[in-house]
Amino acid sequence: MTDIEDIDDLVEDQPDPEPKNDRVEEPEEEPA
Amino acid sequence: MTACARPGYLPKIQFQNPDISGDPYGWDGCQAYAAAMAADFDTCGAVGLTGRQVRQLTDEPRPDPRSPGLNLRQIDDALNRYGVDLEVRYRLPWDDFVRRINKGEGAVLDGATGPLLTTKFRSTYGDINHAMFVPPGWGAMDPAADGHRSYVHRYDGQPYPKDLLRRFAGHLALTYVNGKPIRLGLGYVYAAFTRDRRSTWTWAPAKLTRFRVYQCDEGTHRIIGRHWAKPTSKAPHTCTPPRLYRDPTTGTSRSLVRMLAGEFAGGYVNAVHATEVP
C-alpha cells in the first residue's frame, strides 16, 4: 500500500529533465 | 542587481548566424549566445565572451550530432570558469520570473518558438527549443533575430509582450515520449538569472512530510550524500541563493539551497521551496 507521503516523496525525488536547445534549421528557399 | 553597477546597461546583441558570427556551430548555439550576452550584462561588458567562445568553454565544444544544442547547466558551468555564476532555476513560476526582471535582473530564458511563429517576433522556421537573453525592460535579445530572412525578426530593442514570452517559456519541450513532446506547461520557466549578490533567501517546507536533505561538495558542486528528513515546523529559515549541483546518481543537476539556520542548517534542500526576500 502506498500512502500519500510516499507519493510526495517520489515527486520530491524526481530529477528534472535538462532539455537542450534545438538546431535552427534553415529552409532551402524562403517560405512563401 | 547584478555585479554590473551601471543602471540601464544592456549587453551587445550577439547573433548566432554563422554568416555573422563566423561560428560553424552557430545554428546549434542559441544557448551559448544567450549565455554570452548574460555574461556581458552581469559584468557591464568586462567579460566580453562571444557565443562561439562560450561553446568552446563547455563540456561539449563540438556538438553531439544526436543532440547538438546545449542546456542551462552546461552554460552555467562554462561561465563559472570566467567568474560569472548564473542562478539556474527549473520549473520556476512565471510570476517570480516577471518580478526578478522588473527588479533589474537579466536571464537566459529557455522555451520553444511555436508561439512566436505567428508574430512579428518570429526568428526560426519551425517550432524548436530555443534560448534568448531577457534584460530588464523586456527587450528580449534573440540570437536568431538577425533579420536575414523576410520572416525573421531583426532585434531592435523593442520590448516583447510578456504574455508572448510566457507562452514561449511554457512551450519548452522537456523530453519526447513516442515522438511526442512533453512540454513544461504554461506558467513555468526554465531560466538562468544573472546573480543578485545582495539578495536574501529563505526556505520553508510546503508540507510537514518527508523530503530529501543533500550533502554537497562546494569545490566540485556535486551531490555526495542524501537522506530523508521530516520537518517539525513550516517556519522559514535563511538559506543561500539557489545553484545547481550535479547528481551522479541521475546524471542530471538539481537546483538546491544550503540552509544557514534552522533544524537543517548546513544541509542542502530543493530550491523549489526557496523564496527571495523582497
Side-chain angles (χ1 to χ4, degrees):
Chain A
M1 192 72 179
T2 302
D3 64 22
I4 188 70
E5 186 168 288
D6 289 333
I7 293 169
D8 285 347
D9 290 350
L10 285 172
V11 171
E12 178 84 29
D13 211 29
Q14 284 294 312
D16 285 309
E18 296 188 302
K20 287 177 159 185
N21 66 267
D22 292 317
R23 179 179 177 80
V24 177
E25 295 291 349
E26 281 287 278
E28 288 293 315
E29 293 181 12
E30 185 106 347
Chain B
M1 286 298 120
T2 67
C4 175
R6 281 165 50 190
Y9 177 83
L10 284 179
K12 293 184 190 70
I13 183 76
Q14 291 199 33
F15 295 124
Q16 64 187 112
N17 184 342
D19 291 342
I20 300 170
S21 63
D23 178 359
Y25 307 134
W27 287 134
D28 297 314
C30 58
Q31 197 90 251
Y33 282 75
M37 292 187 274
D40 180 342
F41 175 76
D42 191 51
T43 62
C44 277
V47 172
L49 291 169
T50 63
R52 186 177 188 173
Q53 289 169 320
V54 171
R55 162 70 82 168
Q56 294 308 309
L57 288 166
T58 69
D59 57 5
E60 194 182 327
R62 291 174 66 88
D64 178 347
R66 294 164 301 174
S67 175
L70 295 169
N71 62 33
L72 292 171
R73 191 274 303 167
Q74 288 176 297
I75 59 164
D76 181 33
D77 284 349
L79 295 188
N80 278 341
R81 298 170 66 177
Y82 271 76
V84 176
D85 194 6
L86 299 178
E87 180 195 314
V88 178
R89 301 300 301 271
Y90 299 148
R91 301 179 196 274
L92 183 74
W94 170 256
D95 289 346
D96 288 352
F97 183 82
V98 170
R99 184 174 50 77
R100 295 183 66 169
I101 298 299
N102 286 343
K103 203 179 76 166
E105 295 180 46
V108 175
L109 177 65
D110 278 6
T113 55
L116 304 180
L117 298 181
T118 54
T119 75
K120 69 173 195 169
F121 296 105
R122 178 180 183 178
S123 63
T124 63
Y125 180 61
D127 178 6
I128 59 168
N129 273 4
H130 194 51
M132 55 180 81
F133 179 69
V134 181
W138 297 89
M141 306 177 91
D142 179 345
D146 63 14
H148 75 290
R149 301 263 191 176
S150 61
Y151 65 86
V152 172
H153 175 61
R154 182 171 176 81
Y155 170 75
D156 58 5
Q158 189 182 346
Y160 279 48
K162 289 189 190 70
D163 186 60
L164 183 60
L165 291 179
R166 177 172 167 264
R167 287 186 286 129
F168 166 77
H171 199 58
L172 176 69
L174 294 178
T175 187
Y176 288 81
V177 175
N178 298 327
K180 292 193 171 178
I182 306 297
R183 303 211 179 264
L184 174 59
L186 203 56
Y188 292 94
V189 170
Y190 266 52
F193 293 91
T194 55
R195 191 165 286 270
D196 185 344
R197 290 168 175 75
R198 295 181 311 196
S199 65
T200 302
W201 289 74
T202 61
W203 184 92
K207 290 176 281 189
L208 298 180
T209 53
R210 293 198 312 166
F211 67 98
R212 285 285 197 190
V213 177
Y214 299 90
Q215 294 86 50
C216 298
D217 182 332
E218 278 298 335
T220 59
H221 296 137
R222 291 173 77 87
I223 294 170
I224 54 174
R226 71 195 71 204
H227 64 273
W228 291 108
K230 195 164 186 173
T232 57
S233 91
K234 292 183 181 178
H237 291 285
T238 55
C239 63
T240 62
R243 91 168 318 285
L244 285 186
Y245 294 88
R246 195 84 176 142
D247 187 343
T249 66
T250 62
T252 60
S253 299
R254 293 177 185 276
S255 185
L256 304 176
V257 296
R258 182 164 57 88
M259 296 306 299
L260 300 173
E263 57 189 320
F264 305 110
Y268 292 75
V269 294
N270 195 326
V272 74
H273 303 305
T275 309
E276 191 179 10
V277 178

